[in-house]
Amino acid sequence: MSNDVPLAPGENAFPLHIFDALGLDPVVFKDRIGGSVMVIEKRPEDGPVTILTSGVSRLATDSGERIELAVEVVDGQQGAAMVALRIVINEIATNRRVPPVLAPWRNGTPFLNGTEISALLVTPSRWGASFDEIRNEAGQVVGHVRTLRLLTDGEAAVAGERGWDALVAEVGSVDALLDVERAERTPQIGSERNRCGSASLRTG
């Protein structure tokens, strides 16, 4: 994402929702993605470290959707969350394409060095509508927080063929999908891939 991507006028509902989410004060990262998208971290007592964006909703999309992004990570793997966010934000900024809900973007090869992580999937969050839906002062839904899951290709295949709930059931819990250093554990199903267009992106 270049620093000169035009941003639409902001709406207070988006930053207010992100900064108030989970009832916790945010820790703001020093660096912004593309020079304009703010990244913050929250540490809920009953959930994993959660990385959120503030500013993605100001990028124009062909669908007209206005979203912010969230990624859940194991503490110490915030860098992996940043890579995933950059992939999606670049896709929105460059191609005006919002990641589909519950339809994996499969890259074919890992985009995190030293891991099997090669796919992204948007799913509902563990927190429900109060986190996922962004509402204005009148109570109208004006956008959403989209939670990104970082998956292996086998996991993405299961989610694509049988659904997110089936994948969670197979691995035991949502938390089993947090550690990006996990090994591939699920059989690959099918061969059709919805590529995210970021095959060359690497950490390091």
Side-chain angles (χ1 to χ4, degrees):
M1 176 182 172
S2 66
N3 292 348
D4 58 356
V5 173
L7 301 178
E11 184 171 342
N12 287 339
F14 289 86
L16 288 175
H17 180 91
I18 293 301
F19 277 74
D20 291 344
L22 307 178
L24 298 169
D25 292 334
V27 175
V28 180
F29 287 21
K30 178 180 178 181
D31 295 329
R32 298 189 177 206
I33 296 177
S36 58
V37 175
M38 184 181 296
V39 181
I40 67 173
E41 176 181 302
K42 297 201 174 188
R43 295 174 175 254
E45 291 184 4
D46 51 352
V49 174
T50 303
I51 310 300
L52 302 104
T53 64
S54 180
V56 176
S57 57
R58 297 182 62 192
L59 297 172
T61 64
D62 286 340
S63 65
E65 295 175 79
R66 301 176 67 188
I67 65 169
E68 296 294 347
L69 301 169
V71 186
E72 296 179 347
V73 294
V74 173
D75 194 15
Q77 295 183 355
Q78 287 87 336
M82 290 294 289
V83 172
L85 292 174
R86 288 191 184 102
I87 290 173
V88 176
I89 291 170
N90 185 68
E91 184 70 20
I92 296 171
T94 303
N95 298 318
R96 299 168 59 102
R97 186 164 73 110
V98 174
V101 178
L102 299 176
W105 276 0
R106 296 168 69 184
N107 198 46
T109 57
F111 54 77
L112 292 176
N113 283 340
T115 78
E116 297 293 327
I117 300 300
S118 63
L120 296 171
L121 177 66
V122 172
T123 74
S125 74
R126 67 180 69 213
W127 311 109
S130 63
F131 181 85
D132 296 347
E133 296 178 350
I134 300 175
R135 296 178 179 270
N136 61 18
E137 291 182 354
Q140 300 167 317
V141 176
V142 293
H144 293 86
V145 177
R146 298 302 192 196
T147 297
L148 301 174
R149 308 293 178 181
L150 282 62
L151 304 180
T152 66
D153 194 68
E155 292 163 353
V158 171
E161 293 288 334
R162 304 197 335 243
W164 167 243
D165 290 341
L167 173 60
V168 172
E170 183 162 319
V171 301
S173 71
V174 174
D175 289 340
L177 297 168
L178 291 179
D179 187 353
V180 299
E181 296 179 354
R182 65 187 180 275
E184 179 71 89
R185 294 169 297 184
T186 55
Q188 297 201 10
I189 301 173
S191 59
E192 188 66 25
R193 294 184 176 179
N194 180 10
R195 296 184 182 276
C196 70
S198 301
S200 63
L201 186 60
R202 295 289 188 272
T203 58

